[in-house]
Structure formats: structure tokens, C-alpha cells
Amino acid sequence: GMLVPPAIVIVLLAVVFAGTRISNGVRAYVGGESLWSKAQKEGVAALYRYAATRDESDFAAYLSAQRVPDADRRARENLQGGSPDPAVAREAFIEGGNHPRDAVEMVWIFRYFAWAPYFSEAIAIWGVADSTRDELALEADALQRVVRTGTSTLDERRAIIDRIVEVDERLTVLESDFSATIADGARWIIQVKVLMVSVTG
């Protein structure tokens, strides 16, 4: 058979290896997004309960649920900052409920593919979702202030809950967009891999 020059073998192996890592990283981000989404939904459900019960333990449950998306945000902001620290970002991803092995892949993808089509778009969507969560936090604080007066009416609380529902609906769309965009990124990488294999093969 025909001998393949060693340099081409190395290039092919590098592409295949990176492709496998990228697949693992994308899978980790999809899993991370479902943890993010689940925590987000639990937080909103806790606010609904709080509006009805006025029990501070329900507000505490909302705050507790924010730990997952807050940790992921710290990872993103660290990696996007002027002096990113992969170890800090990895720890933040782990704090966000991701498996330590997944956290390594998530940092790797972010560091080396944040420029790439789809991945850069997914990161931008994530940033918008975090800003939208800031709006949710303001409404949650407003709800707690109203509840703590001890004289709030159900209508007052319901008006705030209506705004929370609206913010939550926007977050749900952003969560779907993030997952779809990351999946598109995975398909793009596979196409690049196939192209490179056919060009070098």
C-alpha cells in the first residue's frame, strides 16, 4: 500500500484528537446547560411559592438555586477577562455542578474555540442570559421587600410574579438557543474534521 508521510499522520491524529475533545466538551456544555436550566427553574418555582407562603425558607431556596448559574457565570467572566485563570474557571464549573473531568473540557473549549463560529455565538447568548438573570434578581428583591412589609396584598405580589414569569420566559428561549448553537458548533467541527481528512488523505 501507499505510505502516508509522518507529518500528515500527525495532522490527522491531531484533528481526530481535537475532534474527540471537542465532542466531549460540547457534551459537557449541553449537560452544564441542563444543570443551569434546572437550577433556574427551581429558583423561579421557589419565588412563586414565596409569593404565596411569604415563608423566608422559600426565598432561601431561590437564593440556593442561584449558586449553579452564579458559579458558571464566574467561570465565563474569568475566561473572558484580561487575565484568565483556567484553575479558577475549572473550580467554578465544578461548583456549578459539573463533573471535574467535564470542567476541564469546558475550560479547554472556551480557551481555544471561543473565537470559532457557533461557539462565540453561544458564549454571547450565555452573557445575555446572565444579564437577564440580573433582571430576575431585581424582581426577586422587589418581591422580598413587598413581602417583608407584612402588609402586601396578593395583587401586589402577583404583579411582581407576572414580571418574573416574563423574565423566566426570555431565559427559557435563551437556554434553548444556547443548546442549539452549541450543537451547531459540534456539527461545524465535524465538517471541518471531514474536510481536513479528505484534503490530507
Side-chain angles (χ1 to χ4, degrees), residues 121-159:
E121 189 187 336
I123 291 165
I125 292 166
W126 184 0
V128 173
D130 280 334
S131 298
T132 307
R133 282 183 56 245
D134 291 340
E135 293 180 51
L136 182 72
L138 289 173
E139 296 299 347
D141 289 346
L143 180 62
Q144 189 178 48
R145 272 197 311 278
V146 163
V147 166
R148 284 184 169 176
T149 62
T151 58
S152 66
T153 65
L154 188 56
D155 282 347
E156 283 176 304
R157 298 195 300 277
R158 194 173 284 140

PDB file of all heavy atoms in Angstrom, residues 121-159:
ATOM      1  N   GLU A 121     -20.941  32.598  19.358  1.00  0.00           N
ATOM      2  CA  GLU A 121     -22.359  32.983  19.457  1.00  0.00           C
ATOM      3  C   GLU A 121     -22.981  32.418  20.743  1.00  0.00           C
ATOM      4  O   GLU A 121     -23.736  33.111  21.442  1.00  0.00           O
ATOM      5  CB  GLU A 121     -23.108  32.461  18.229  1.00  0.00           C
ATOM      6  CG  GLU A 121     -24.521  32.983  18.116  1.00  0.00           C
ATOM      7  CD  GLU A 121     -25.311  32.324  16.981  1.00  0.00           C
ATOM      8  OE1 GLU A 121     -24.690  31.819  16.023  1.00  0.00           O
ATOM      9  OE2 GLU A 121     -26.549  32.309  17.092  1.00  0.00           O
ATOM     10  N   ALA A 122     -22.645  31.170  21.058  1.00  0.00           N
ATOM     11  CA  ALA A 122     -23.177  30.538  22.283  1.00  0.00           C
ATOM     12  C   ALA A 122     -22.713  31.306  23.523  1.00  0.00           C
ATOM     13  O   ALA A 122     -23.491  31.527  24.456  1.00  0.00           O
ATOM     14  CB  ALA A 122     -22.740  29.078  22.354  1.00  0.00           C
ATOM     15  N   ILE A 123     -21.455  31.737  23.532  1.00  0.00           N
ATOM     16  CA  ILE A 123     -20.919  32.498  24.671  1.00  0.00           C
ATOM     17  C   ILE A 123     -21.652  33.835  24.798  1.00  0.00           C
ATOM     18  O   ILE A 123     -21.972  34.273  25.914  1.00  0.00           O
ATOM     19  CB  ILE A 123     -19.391  32.687  24.523  1.00  0.00           C
ATOM     20  CG1 ILE A 123     -18.682  31.334  24.705  1.00  0.00           C
ATOM     21  CG2 ILE A 123     -18.871  33.698  25.543  1.00  0.00           C
ATOM     22  CD1 ILE A 123     -17.229  31.312  24.233  1.00  0.00           C
ATOM     23  N   ALA A 124     -21.964  34.461  23.655  1.00  0.00           N
ATOM     24  CA  ALA A 124     -22.708  35.726  23.679  1.00  0.00           C
ATOM     25  C   ALA A 124     -24.115  35.509  24.254  1.00  0.00           C
ATOM     26  O   ALA A 124     -24.593  36.308  25.071  1.00  0.00           O
ATOM     27  CB  ALA A 124     -22.789  36.313  22.272  1.00  0.00           C
ATOM     28  N   ILE A 125     -24.761  34.407  23.865  1.00  0.00           N
ATOM     29  CA  ILE A 125     -26.105  34.076  24.387  1.00  0.00           C
ATOM     30  C   ILE A 125     -26.028  33.887  25.903  1.00  0.00           C
ATOM     31  O   ILE A 125     -26.885  34.366  26.645  1.00  0.00           O
ATOM     32  CB  ILE A 125     -26.663  32.809  23.693  1.00  0.00           C
ATOM     33  CG1 ILE A 125     -26.963  33.090  22.214  1.00  0.00           C
ATOM     34  CG2 ILE A 125     -27.923  32.299  24.414  1.00  0.00           C
ATOM     35  CD1 ILE A 125     -27.201  31.833  21.372  1.00  0.00           C
ATOM     36  N   TRP A 126     -24.994  33.206  26.346  1.00  0.00           N
ATOM     37  CA  TRP A 126     -24.776  32.960  27.777  1.00  0.00           C
ATOM     38  C   TRP A 126     -24.663  34.293  28.517  1.00  0.00           C
ATOM     39  O   TRP A 126     -25.247  34.468  29.597  1.00  0.00           O
ATOM     40  CB  TRP A 126     -23.506  32.130  27.895  1.00  0.00           C
ATOM     41  CG  TRP A 126     -23.089  31.657  29.240  1.00  0.00           C
ATOM     42  CD1 TRP A 126     -23.688  31.859  30.449  1.00  0.00           C
ATOM     43  CD2 TRP A 126     -21.917  30.868  29.495  1.00  0.00           C
ATOM     44  NE1 TRP A 126     -22.954  31.251  31.444  1.00  0.00           N
ATOM     45  CE2 TRP A 126     -21.884  30.637  30.888  1.00  0.00           C
ATOM     46  CE3 TRP A 126     -20.909  30.340  28.700  1.00  0.00           C
ATOM     47  CZ2 TRP A 126     -20.854  29.896  31.481  1.00  0.00           C
ATOM     48  CZ3 TRP A 126     -19.905  29.602  29.292  1.00  0.00           C
ATOM     49  CH2 TRP A 126     -19.874  29.378  30.664  1.00  0.00           C
ATOM     50  N   GLY A 127     -23.931  35.241  27.944  1.00  0.00           N
ATOM     51  CA  GLY A 127     -23.796  36.573  28.556  1.00  0.00           C
ATOM     52  C   GLY A 127     -25.136  37.285  28.675  1.00  0.00           C
ATOM     53  O   GLY A 127     -25.443  37.896  29.708  1.00  0.00           O
ATOM     54  N   VAL A 128     -25.959  37.180  27.627  1.00  0.00           N
ATOM     55  CA  VAL A 128     -27.292  37.791  27.656  1.00  0.00           C
ATOM     56  C   VAL A 128     -28.144  37.116  28.740  1.00  0.00           C
ATOM     57  O   VAL A 128     -28.875  37.786  29.475  1.00  0.00           O
ATOM     58  CB  VAL A 128     -27.984  37.694  26.268  1.00  0.00           C
ATOM     59  CG1 VAL A 128     -29.429  38.164  26.348  1.00  0.00           C
ATOM     60  CG2 VAL A 128     -27.211  38.508  25.235  1.00  0.00           C
ATOM     61  N   ALA A 129     -28.031  35.791  28.849  1.00  0.00           N
ATOM     62  CA  ALA A 129     -28.795  35.056  29.876  1.00  0.00           C
ATOM     63  C   ALA A 129     -28.403  35.525  31.272  1.00  0.00           C
ATOM     64  O   ALA A 129     -29.272  35.713  32.139  1.00  0.00           O
ATOM     65  CB  ALA A 129     -28.577  33.547  29.724  1.00  0.00           C
ATOM     66  N   ASP A 130     -27.112  35.754  31.497  1.00  0.00           N
ATOM     67  CA  ASP A 130     -26.676  36.238  32.816  1.00  0.00           C
ATOM     68  C   ASP A 130     -27.211  37.646  33.094  1.00  0.00           C
ATOM     69  O   ASP A 130     -27.626  37.942  34.212  1.00  0.00           O
ATOM     70  CB  ASP A 130     -25.148  36.203  32.929  1.00  0.00           C
ATOM     71  CG  ASP A 130     -24.621  34.802  33.249  1.00  0.00           C
ATOM     72  OD1 ASP A 130     -25.377  34.008  33.854  1.00  0.00           O
ATOM     73  OD2 ASP A 130     -23.468  34.504  32.900  1.00  0.00           O
ATOM     74  N   SER A 131     -27.227  38.503  32.077  1.00  0.00           N
ATOM     75  CA  SER A 131     -27.797  39.849  32.250  1.00  0.00           C
ATOM     76  C   SER A 131     -29.296  39.762  32.551  1.00  0.00           C
ATOM     77  O   SER A 131     -29.825  40.535  33.344  1.00  0.00           O
ATOM     78  CB  SER A 131     -27.593  40.690  30.992  1.00  0.00           C
ATOM     79  OG  SER A 131     -26.225  40.858  30.754  1.00  0.00           O
ATOM     80  N   THR A 132     -29.965  38.816  31.896  1.00  0.00           N
ATOM     81  CA  THR A 132     -31.402  38.620  32.122  1.00  0.00           C
ATOM     82  C   THR A 132     -31.643  38.099  33.536  1.00  0.00           C
ATOM     83  O   THR A 132     -32.616  38.495  34.195  1.00  0.00           O
ATOM     84  CB  THR A 132     -31.978  37.664  31.055  1.00  0.00           C
ATOM     85  OG1 THR A 132     -31.614  38.156  29.758  1.00  0.00           O
ATOM     86  CG2 THR A 132     -33.494  37.559  31.143  1.00  0.00           C
ATOM     87  N   ARG A 133     -30.739  37.266  34.024  1.00  0.00           N
ATOM     88  CA  ARG A 133     -30.821  36.801  35.422  1.00  0.00           C
ATOM     89  C   ARG A 133     -30.670  37.970  36.395  1.00  0.00           C
ATOM     90  O   ARG A 133     -31.251  37.930  37.487  1.00  0.00           O
ATOM     91  CB  ARG A 133     -29.748  35.746  35.715  1.00  0.00           C
ATOM     92  CG  ARG A 133     -30.092  34.366  35.174  1.00  0.00           C
ATOM     93  CD  ARG A 133     -29.040  33.327  35.556  1.00  0.00           C
ATOM     94  NE  ARG A 133     -28.870  33.302  36.991  1.00  0.00           N
ATOM     95  CZ  ARG A 133     -27.740  33.647  37.633  1.00  0.00           C
ATOM     96  NH1 ARG A 133     -26.672  34.041  36.987  1.00  0.00           N
ATOM     97  NH2 ARG A 133     -27.677  33.590  38.938  1.00  0.00           N
ATOM     98  N   ASP A 134     -29.911  38.989  36.016  1.00  0.00           N
ATOM     99  CA  ASP A 134     -29.804  40.188  36.862  1.00  0.00           C
ATOM    100  C   ASP A 134     -31.175  40.850  37.006  1.00  0.00           C
ATOM    101  O   ASP A 134     -31.522  41.354  38.080  1.00  0.00           O
ATOM    102  CB  ASP A 134     -28.799  41.192  36.273  1.00  0.00           C
ATOM    103  CG  ASP A 134     -27.358  40.699  36.351  1.00  0.00           C
ATOM    104  OD1 ASP A 134     -27.083  39.793  37.163  1.00  0.00           O
ATOM    105  OD2 ASP A 134     -26.515  41.214  35.592  1.00  0.00           O
ATOM    106  N   GLU A 135     -31.950  40.847  35.915  1.00  0.00           N
ATOM    107  CA  GLU A 135     -33.318  41.396  35.969  1.00  0.00           C
ATOM    108  C   GLU A 135     -34.169  40.563  36.930  1.00  0.00           C
ATOM    109  O   GLU A 135     -34.958  41.111  37.707  1.00  0.00           O
ATOM    110  CB  GLU A 135     -33.968  41.371  34.583  1.00  0.00           C
ATOM    111  CG  GLU A 135     -33.350  42.289  33.561  1.00  0.00           C
ATOM    112  CD  GLU A 135     -34.070  42.176  32.227  1.00  0.00           C
ATOM    113  OE1 GLU A 135     -35.321  42.281  32.206  1.00  0.00           O
ATOM    114  OE2 GLU A 135     -33.389  41.982  31.199  1.00  0.00           O
ATOM    115  N   LEU A 136     -34.008  39.249  36.859  1.00  0.00           N
ATOM    116  CA  LEU A 136     -34.756  38.353  37.752  1.00  0.00           C
ATOM    117  C   LEU A 136     -34.409  38.648  39.213  1.00  0.00           C
ATOM    118  O   LEU A 136     -35.289  38.706  40.077  1.00  0.00           O
ATOM    119  CB  LEU A 136     -34.446  36.886  37.421  1.00  0.00           C
ATOM    120  CG  LEU A 136     -35.202  35.863  38.258  1.00  0.00           C
ATOM    121  CD1 LEU A 136     -36.676  35.806  37.864  1.00  0.00           C
ATOM    122  CD2 LEU A 136     -34.575  34.478  38.102  1.00  0.00           C
ATOM    123  N   ALA A 137     -33.123  38.865  39.476  1.00  0.00           N
ATOM    124  CA  ALA A 137     -32.669  39.146  40.846  1.00  0.00           C
ATOM    125  C   ALA A 137     -33.315  40.434  41.373  1.00  0.00           C
ATOM    126  O   ALA A 137     -33.706  40.502  42.545  1.00  0.00           O
ATOM    127  CB  ALA A 137     -31.145  39.248  40.880  1.00  0.00           C
ATOM    128  N   LEU A 138     -33.444  41.442  40.502  1.00  0.00           N
ATOM    129  CA  LEU A 138     -34.087  42.709  40.909  1.00  0.00           C
ATOM    130  C   LEU A 138     -35.557  42.471  41.268  1.00  0.00           C
ATOM    131  O   LEU A 138     -36.054  43.011  42.261  1.00  0.00           O
ATOM    132  CB  LEU A 138     -33.983  43.747  39.791  1.00  0.00           C
ATOM    133  CG  LEU A 138     -32.584  44.317  39.528  1.00  0.00           C
ATOM    134  CD1 LEU A 138     -32.583  45.204  38.282  1.00  0.00           C
ATOM    135  CD2 LEU A 138     -32.075  45.111  40.736  1.00  0.00           C
ATOM    136  N   GLU A 139     -36.239  41.661  40.469  1.00  0.00           N
ATOM    137  CA  GLU A 139     -37.655  41.348  40.755  1.00  0.00           C
ATOM    138  C   GLU A 139     -37.779  40.523  42.041  1.00  0.00           C
ATOM    139  O   GLU A 139     -38.694  40.726  42.833  1.00  0.00           O
ATOM    140  CB  GLU A 139     -38.311  40.616  39.580  1.00  0.00           C
ATOM    141  CG  GLU A 139     -38.400  41.428  38.293  1.00  0.00           C
ATOM    142  CD  GLU A 139     -39.219  42.708  38.410  1.00  0.00           C
ATOM    143  OE1 GLU A 139     -39.952  42.897  39.411  1.00  0.00           O
ATOM    144  OE2 GLU A 139     -39.127  43.546  37.488  1.00  0.00           O
ATOM    145  N   ALA A 140     -36.850  39.593  42.247  1.00  0.00           N
ATOM    146  CA  ALA A 140     -36.860  38.774  43.472  1.00  0.00           C
ATOM    147  C   ALA A 140     -36.683  39.673  44.698  1.00  0.00           C
ATOM    148  O   ALA A 140     -37.385  39.508  45.706  1.00  0.00           O
ATOM    149  CB  ALA A 140     -35.753  37.726  43.406  1.00  0.00           C
ATOM    150  N   ASP A 141     -35.758  40.641  44.597  1.00  0.00           N
ATOM    151  CA  ASP A 141     -35.538  41.586  45.708  1.00  0.00           C
ATOM    152  C   ASP A 141     -36.791  42.436  45.958  1.00  0.00           C
ATOM    153  O   ASP A 141     -37.162  42.687  47.106  1.00  0.00           O
ATOM    154  CB  ASP A 141     -34.340  42.503  45.403  1.00  0.00           C
ATOM    155  CG  ASP A 141     -33.008  41.758  45.463  1.00  0.00           C
ATOM    156  OD1 ASP A 141     -32.990  40.620  45.994  1.00  0.00           O
ATOM    157  OD2 ASP A 141     -32.001  42.305  44.987  1.00  0.00           O
ATOM    158  N   ALA A 142     -37.441  42.850  44.857  1.00  0.00           N
ATOM    159  CA  ALA A 142     -38.676  43.645  44.985  1.00  0.00           C
ATOM    160  C   ALA A 142     -39.751  42.823  45.691  1.00  0.00           C
ATOM    161  O   ALA A 142     -40.461  43.332  46.569  1.00  0.00           O
ATOM    162  CB  ALA A 142     -39.156  44.091  43.606  1.00  0.00           C
ATOM    163  N   LEU A 143     -39.836  41.548  45.311  1.00  0.00           N
ATOM    164  CA  LEU A 143     -40.830  40.660  45.934  1.00  0.00           C
ATOM    165  C   LEU A 143     -40.543  40.516  47.432  1.00  0.00           C
ATOM    166  O   LEU A 143     -41.451  40.630  48.263  1.00  0.00           O
ATOM    167  CB  LEU A 143     -40.811  39.282  45.250  1.00  0.00           C
ATOM    168  CG  LEU A 143     -41.789  38.245  45.795  1.00  0.00           C
ATOM    169  CD1 LEU A 143     -43.237  38.692  45.623  1.00  0.00           C
ATOM    170  CD2 LEU A 143     -41.572  36.888  45.113  1.00  0.00           C
ATOM    171  N   GLN A 144     -39.279  40.318  47.776  1.00  0.00           N
ATOM    172  CA  GLN A 144     -38.935  40.159  49.189  1.00  0.00           C
ATOM    173  C   GLN A 144     -39.242  41.436  49.983  1.00  0.00           C
ATOM    174  O   GLN A 144     -39.761  41.371  51.099  1.00  0.00           O
ATOM    175  CB  GLN A 144     -37.454  39.789  49.346  1.00  0.00           C
ATOM    176  CG  GLN A 144     -37.121  39.399  50.785  1.00  0.00           C
ATOM    177  CD  GLN A 144     -35.677  38.981  50.951  1.00  0.00           C
ATOM    178  OE1 GLN A 144     -34.764  39.654  50.485  1.00  0.00           O
ATOM    179  NE2 GLN A 144     -35.469  37.870  51.635  1.00  0.00           N
ATOM    180  N   ARG A 145     -38.950  42.593  49.394  1.00  0.00           N
ATOM    181  CA  ARG A 145     -39.251  43.870  50.078  1.00  0.00           C
ATOM    182  C   ARG A 145     -40.747  43.994  50.353  1.00  0.00           C
ATOM    183  O   ARG A 145     -41.157  44.368  51.452  1.00  0.00           O
ATOM    184  CB  ARG A 145     -38.777  45.056  49.223  1.00  0.00           C
ATOM    185  CG  ARG A 145     -37.340  45.467  49.475  1.00  0.00           C
ATOM    186  CD  ARG A 145     -37.046  46.871  48.947  1.00  0.00           C
ATOM    187  NE  ARG A 145     -37.487  47.084  47.577  1.00  0.00           N
ATOM    188  CZ  ARG A 145     -36.798  46.702  46.496  1.00  0.00           C
ATOM    189  NH1 ARG A 145     -35.638  46.084  46.630  1.00  0.00           N
ATOM    190  NH2 ARG A 145     -37.267  46.943  45.287  1.00  0.00           N
ATOM    191  N   VAL A 146     -41.548  43.689  49.337  1.00  0.00           N
ATOM    192  CA  VAL A 146     -43.006  43.796  49.468  1.00  0.00           C
ATOM    193  C   VAL A 146     -43.521  42.807  50.526  1.00  0.00           C
ATOM    194  O   VAL A 146     -44.344  43.165  51.370  1.00  0.00           O
ATOM    195  CB  VAL A 146     -43.676  43.546  48.084  1.00  0.00           C
ATOM    196  CG1 VAL A 146     -45.147  43.239  48.229  1.00  0.00           C
ATOM    197  CG2 VAL A 146     -43.486  44.745  47.181  1.00  0.00           C
ATOM    198  N   VAL A 147     -43.014  41.572  50.482  1.00  0.00           N
ATOM    199  CA  VAL A 147     -43.447  40.550  51.458  1.00  0.00           C
ATOM    200  C   VAL A 147     -43.074  40.978  52.873  1.00  0.00           C
ATOM    201  O   VAL A 147     -43.878  40.846  53.802  1.00  0.00           O
ATOM    202  CB  VAL A 147     -42.836  39.170  51.110  1.00  0.00           C
ATOM    203  CG1 VAL A 147     -42.977  38.193  52.283  1.00  0.00           C
ATOM    204  CG2 VAL A 147     -43.482  38.589  49.856  1.00  0.00           C
ATOM    205  N   ARG A 148     -41.872  41.510  53.018  1.00  0.00           N
ATOM    206  CA  ARG A 148     -41.372  41.846  54.361  1.00  0.00           C
ATOM    207  C   ARG A 148     -42.078  43.047  54.994  1.00  0.00           C
ATOM    208  O   ARG A 148     -41.932  43.261  56.193  1.00  0.00           O
ATOM    209  CB  ARG A 148     -39.858  42.053  54.321  1.00  0.00           C
ATOM    210  CG  ARG A 148     -39.116  40.722  54.230  1.00  0.00           C
ATOM    211  CD  ARG A 148     -37.629  40.909  54.283  1.00  0.00           C
ATOM    212  NE  ARG A 148     -36.944  39.640  54.466  1.00  0.00           N
ATOM    213  CZ  ARG A 148     -35.623  39.497  54.470  1.00  0.00           C
ATOM    214  NH1 ARG A 148     -34.848  40.558  54.291  1.00  0.00           N
ATOM    215  NH2 ARG A 148     -35.085  38.316  54.655  1.00  0.00           N
ATOM    216  N   THR A 149     -42.823  43.809  54.198  1.00  0.00           N
ATOM    217  CA  THR A 149     -43.595  44.904  54.806  1.00  0.00           C
ATOM    218  C   THR A 149     -44.668  44.319  55.730  1.00  0.00           C
ATOM    219  O   THR A 149     -45.109  44.972  56.679  1.00  0.00           O
ATOM    220  CB  THR A 149     -44.319  45.767  53.742  1.00  0.00           C
ATOM    221  OG1 THR A 149     -45.256  44.943  53.040  1.00  0.00           O
ATOM    222  CG2 THR A 149     -43.352  46.436  52.789  1.00  0.00           C
ATOM    223  N   GLY A 150     -45.076  43.078  55.424  1.00  0.00           N
ATOM    224  CA  GLY A 150     -46.108  42.424  56.229  1.00  0.00           C
ATOM    225  C   GLY A 150     -47.510  42.890  55.888  1.00  0.00           C
ATOM    226  O   GLY A 150     -48.489  42.382  56.421  1.00  0.00           O
ATOM    227  N   THR A 151     -47.613  43.877  54.979  1.00  0.00           N
ATOM    228  CA  THR A 151     -48.947  44.413  54.640  1.00  0.00           C
ATOM    229  C   THR A 151     -49.244  44.259  53.150  1.00  0.00           C
ATOM    230  O   THR A 151     -50.194  44.843  52.640  1.00  0.00           O
ATOM    231  CB  THR A 151     -49.032  45.914  55.006  1.00  0.00           C
ATOM    232  OG1 THR A 151     -47.997  46.604  54.302  1.00  0.00           O
ATOM    233  CG2 THR A 151     -48.882  46.138  56.501  1.00  0.00           C
ATOM    234  N   SER A 152     -48.415  43.474  52.426  1.00  0.00           N
ATOM    235  CA  SER A 152     -48.604  43.357  50.976  1.00  0.00           C
ATOM    236  C   SER A 152     -49.879  42.582  50.662  1.00  0.00           C
ATOM    237  O   SER A 152     -50.289  41.702  51.404  1.00  0.00           O
ATOM    238  CB  SER A 152     -47.406  42.653  50.336  1.00  0.00           C
ATOM    239  OG  SER A 152     -47.345  41.308  50.779  1.00  0.00           O
ATOM    240  N   THR A 153     -50.484  42.950  49.538  1.00  0.00           N
ATOM    241  CA  THR A 153     -51.677  42.222  49.083  1.00  0.00           C
ATOM    242  C   THR A 153     -51.253  41.180  48.059  1.00  0.00           C
ATOM    243  O   THR A 153     -50.161  41.265  47.481  1.00  0.00           O
ATOM    244  CB  THR A 153     -52.685  43.181  48.419  1.00  0.00           C
ATOM    245  OG1 THR A 153     -52.075  43.698  47.230  1.00  0.00           O
ATOM    246  CG2 THR A 153     -53.081  44.319  49.349  1.00  0.00           C
ATOM    247  N   LEU A 154     -52.139  40.208  47.851  1.00  0.00           N
ATOM    248  CA  LEU A 154     -51.871  39.175  46.850  1.00  0.00           C
ATOM    249  C   LEU A 154     -51.690  39.812  45.464  1.00  0.00           C
ATOM    250  O   LEU A 154     -50.829  39.386  44.693  1.00  0.00           O
ATOM    251  CB  LEU A 154     -53.022  38.156  46.829  1.00  0.00           C
ATOM    252  CG  LEU A 154     -52.806  36.908  45.967  1.00  0.00           C
ATOM    253  CD1 LEU A 154     -51.548  36.176  46.377  1.00  0.00           C
ATOM    254  CD2 LEU A 154     -54.015  35.993  46.052  1.00  0.00           C
ATOM    255  N   ASP A 155     -52.458  40.871  45.174  1.00  0.00           N
ATOM    256  CA  ASP A 155     -52.344  41.550  43.872  1.00  0.00           C
ATOM    257  C   ASP A 155     -50.968  42.189  43.687  1.00  0.00           C
ATOM    258  O   ASP A 155     -50.396  42.129  42.599  1.00  0.00           O
ATOM    259  CB  ASP A 155     -53.432  42.624  43.722  1.00  0.00           C
ATOM    260  CG  ASP A 155     -54.788  42.024  43.366  1.00  0.00           C
ATOM    261  OD1 ASP A 155     -54.806  40.824  42.991  1.00  0.00           O
ATOM    262  OD2 ASP A 155     -55.806  42.726  43.472  1.00  0.00           O
ATOM    263  N   GLU A 156     -50.437  42.781  44.749  1.00  0.00           N
ATOM    264  CA  GLU A 156     -49.094  43.385  44.674  1.00  0.00           C
ATOM    265  C   GLU A 156     -48.054  42.306  44.376  1.00  0.00           C
ATOM    266  O   GLU A 156     -47.170  42.500  43.538  1.00  0.00           O
ATOM    267  CB  GLU A 156     -48.733  44.070  46.000  1.00  0.00           C
ATOM    268  CG  GLU A 156     -49.405  45.419  46.226  1.00  0.00           C
ATOM    269  CD  GLU A 156     -49.069  45.966  47.618  1.00  0.00           C
ATOM    270  OE1 GLU A 156     -49.330  45.280  48.624  1.00  0.00           O
ATOM    271  OE2 GLU A 156     -48.540  47.090  47.679  1.00  0.00           O
ATOM    272  N   ARG A 157     -48.180  41.204  45.086  1.00  0.00           N
ATOM    273  CA  ARG A 157     -47.220  40.109  44.887  1.00  0.00           C
ATOM    274  C   ARG A 157     -47.384  39.496  43.498  1.00  0.00           C
ATOM    275  O   ARG A 157     -46.412  39.174  42.831  1.00  0.00           O
ATOM    276  CB  ARG A 157     -47.362  39.062  45.990  1.00  0.00           C
ATOM    277  CG  ARG A 157     -47.074  39.631  47.381  1.00  0.00           C
ATOM    278  CD  ARG A 157     -46.860  38.564  48.432  1.00  0.00           C
ATOM    279  NE  ARG A 157     -47.978  37.670  48.637  1.00  0.00           N
ATOM    280  CZ  ARG A 157     -49.049  37.938  49.416  1.00  0.00           C
ATOM    281  NH1 ARG A 157     -49.145  39.107  50.050  1.00  0.00           N
ATOM    282  NH2 ARG A 157     -50.003  37.043  49.576  1.00  0.00           N
ATOM    283  N   ARG A 158     -48.655  39.392  43.055  1.00  0.00           N
ATOM    284  CA  ARG A 158     -48.919  38.792  41.740  1.00  0.00           C
ATOM    285  C   ARG A 158     -48.337  39.660  40.617  1.00  0.00           C
ATOM    286  O   ARG A 158     -47.839  39.132  39.618  1.00  0.00           O
ATOM    287  CB  ARG A 158     -50.426  38.602  41.544  1.00  0.00           C
ATOM    288  CG  ARG A 158     -50.756  37.693  40.362  1.00  0.00           C
ATOM    289  CD  ARG A 158     -52.236  37.382  40.284  1.00  0.00           C
ATOM    290  NE  ARG A 158     -52.640  36.411  41.278  1.00  0.00           N
ATOM    291  CZ  ARG A 158     -53.788  36.489  41.976  1.00  0.00           C
ATOM    292  NH1 ARG A 158     -54.612  37.507  41.813  1.00  0.00           N
ATOM    293  NH2 ARG A 158     -54.091  35.547  42.843  1.00  0.00           N
ATOM    294  N   ALA A 159     -48.376  40.976  40.776  1.00  0.00           N
ATOM    295  CA  ALA A 159     -47.820  41.884  39.753  1.00  0.00           C
ATOM    296  C   ALA A 159     -46.321  41.627  39.571  1.00  0.00           C
ATOM    297  O   ALA A 159     -45.812  41.616  38.438  1.00  0.00           O
ATOM    298  CB  ALA A 159     -48.067  43.335  40.151  1.00  0.00           C
TER     299      ALA A 159
END
